[in-house]
């Protein structure tokens, strides 16, 4: 399901539905394709990235449905020039609808500066294999401390 060279997958890799959905999500983000990204998410999905209050979600309640998720895209994803994903671990028990991926995302800005976010991303899919919930656990302060100017 990985369709982008911007993803390095060093983890378990099988056809688990939540793992496949996470890979489709990363691929759409790496390609900058909002329409494709939204097809990965259920109509009533909730995205928390990061979990808790942040610059993207001051109240920490998550982004709800395609409208909320598209608004998150405009705030957090659209301004980024490139994303590079490196997933080192992926845990998904057979028969479950959930996986947890551990890795890093390097985000490069149009001026060439960049940050690296170390995180855990938990995906829960519905019966159709679409993401019903995505929770990304990371600390904005740690990411900002990694800021490297161009």
């Amino acid at each position: 399901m990985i369709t982008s060279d911007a993803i390095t997958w060093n983890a378990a890799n099988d056809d688990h539905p939540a793992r496949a959905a996470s890979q489709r999500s990363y691929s759409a983000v790496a390609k900058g394709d909002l329409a494709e990204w939204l097809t990965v998410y259920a109509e009533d999905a909730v995205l928390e990235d990061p979990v808790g209050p942040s610059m993207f979600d001051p109240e920490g309640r998550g982004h709800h449905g395609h409208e909320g998720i598209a608004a998150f895209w405009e705030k957090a994803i659209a301004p980024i020039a490139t994303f590079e994903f490196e997933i080192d671990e992926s845990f998904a028990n057979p028969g479950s609808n959930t996986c947890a991926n551990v890795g890093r995302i390097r985000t490069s800005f149009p001026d060439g500066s960049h940050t690296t976010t170390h995180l855990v991303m938990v995906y829960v899919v519905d019966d159709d294999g679409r993401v019903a919930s995505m929770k990304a656990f990371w600390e904005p302060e740690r990411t900002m401390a990694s800021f490297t100017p161009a």
Side-chain angles (χ1 to χ4, degrees), residues 5 12-13 17-18 21 42 48 60 63 65 83-84 86 88 90-92 99 117 125 127-128 130 137 139 146 149:
D5 292 337
N13 194 14
E48 298 176 71
H63 308 276
F83 287 88
E84 297 172 47
E86 187 166 354
D88 295 319
S90 182
F91 301 95
C99 84
T117 302
V125 296
D127 291 339
D128 296 323
R130 295 175 75 194
F137 296 87
E139 298 172 4
S146 77

Side-chain angles (χ1 to χ4, degrees), residues 15-137:
D15 62 353
H16 188 281
R19 184 174 287 134
S22 75
Q23 293 172 339
R24 289 193 312 272
S25 177
Y26 303 149
S27 293
V29 168
K31 291 188 282 186
D33 191 333
L34 172 59
E36 181 180 330
W37 195 54
L38 289 175
T39 69
V40 176
Y41 286 83
E43 296 291 331
D44 59 348
V46 178
L47 180 143
E48 298 176 71
D49 188 355
V51 171
S54 73
M55 63 288 231
F56 305 125
D57 181 14
E59 294 181 6
R61 296 181 185 192
H63 308 276
H64 295 259
H66 280 191
E67 184 176 328
I69 293 169
F72 170 80
W73 176 283
E74 294 304 322
K75 288 181 195 173
I77 297 173
I80 305 301
T82 61
F83 287 88
E84 297 172 47
F85 296 86
E86 187 166 354
I87 305 302
D88 295 319
E89 299 285 349
S90 182
F91 301 95
N93 287 337
S96 74
N97 66 341
T98 305
C99 84
N101 297 332
V102 181
R104 291 170 291 298
I105 303 172
R106 179 180 163 137
T107 53
S108 297
F109 300 94
D111 68 358
S113 61
H114 64 271
T115 61
T116 300
T117 302
H118 295 262
L119 72 171
V120 176
M121 296 159 283
V122 178
Y123 290 82
V124 178
V125 296
D126 62 17
D127 291 339
D128 296 323
R130 295 175 75 194
V131 176
S133 169
M134 194 289 263
K135 294 183 178 188
F137 296 87

